[in-house]
Amino acid sequence: MRLLFYAFYARWNRVNKHRLHERPLKGHGEPVRLTAGAFILTTLNKSVLIFALSTLMGAAHAAVGSWSTQLPSVLVAMSDRASSSQPIVPPAMADVGDATIGRIYWRYQVPVGVPMNAWLCHSEQCVPLPTMRGATSALAGKQIDGPMHFRFALASGQHPVRVQELQVIVNYQ
């Protein structure tokens, strides 16, 4: 997008360069000098155009993207009480602004053959996770800065289990 802006700006300069200082009269071959006011107006229009395009491109750049994070393992010890992971938050370097969630990819690992009830929770809603890895758009449109976390619960009668390799990739708009 930024490359498109610079290409447009360079083209505008080539096409309008002769107009900054001289403007030919219709039907005459002699150029007429622009007045100081016309020169300032032309320069002002160029500045406004540059500002508008850079603002729009800056907003588009900050508004769309993705981030990922890994979380420490979670010990799930009881079947009657769910265990939660640490909060899932964007990394400090992610410029999410007031973006909303698009699609979320998740992954976690439990020992083979151990049934686990799992959810991905936002402050407004929890989404059941039917498998140890997958993707969901069920939280699309929710604020990205709302705290999220994994939640796990054992089936009745199970021994404690450590859930490992918790990871999310969050696409936002």
Side-chain angles (χ1 to χ4, degrees), residues 98-162:
D98 61 347
T100 58
I101 296 171
R103 190 163 183 81
I104 300 176
Y105 298 86
W106 78 85
R107 183 182 77 168
Y108 65 88
Q109 186 70 40
V110 294
V112 176
V114 174
M116 182 65 63
N117 297 314
W119 299 267
L120 180 60
C121 297
H122 186 273
S123 60
E124 300 175 24
Q125 174 184 354
C126 284
V127 177
L129 304 179
T131 60
M132 290 190 286
R133 65 176 57 221
T136 183
S137 295
L139 298 174
K142 308 267 189 255
Q143 286 298 105
I144 201 162
D145 60 355
M148 292 186 288
H149 63 275
F150 283 105
R151 198 169 87 195
F152 301 100
L154 297 173
S156 185
Q158 274 186 283
H159 295 292
V161 174
R162 182 161 300 276

Side-chain angles (χ1 to χ4, degrees), residues 25-58:
L25 285 172
K26 287 186 178 182
H28 295 78
E30 297 177 27
V32 174
R33 295 264 179 216
L34 287 177
T35 64
F39 177 77
I40 290 170
L41 185 59
T42 302
T43 304
L44 182 62
N45 286 343
K46 183 177 172 183
S47 298
V48 168
L49 176 65
I50 291 169
F51 175 75
L53 284 174
S54 64
T55 301
L56 288 174
M57 288 187 343

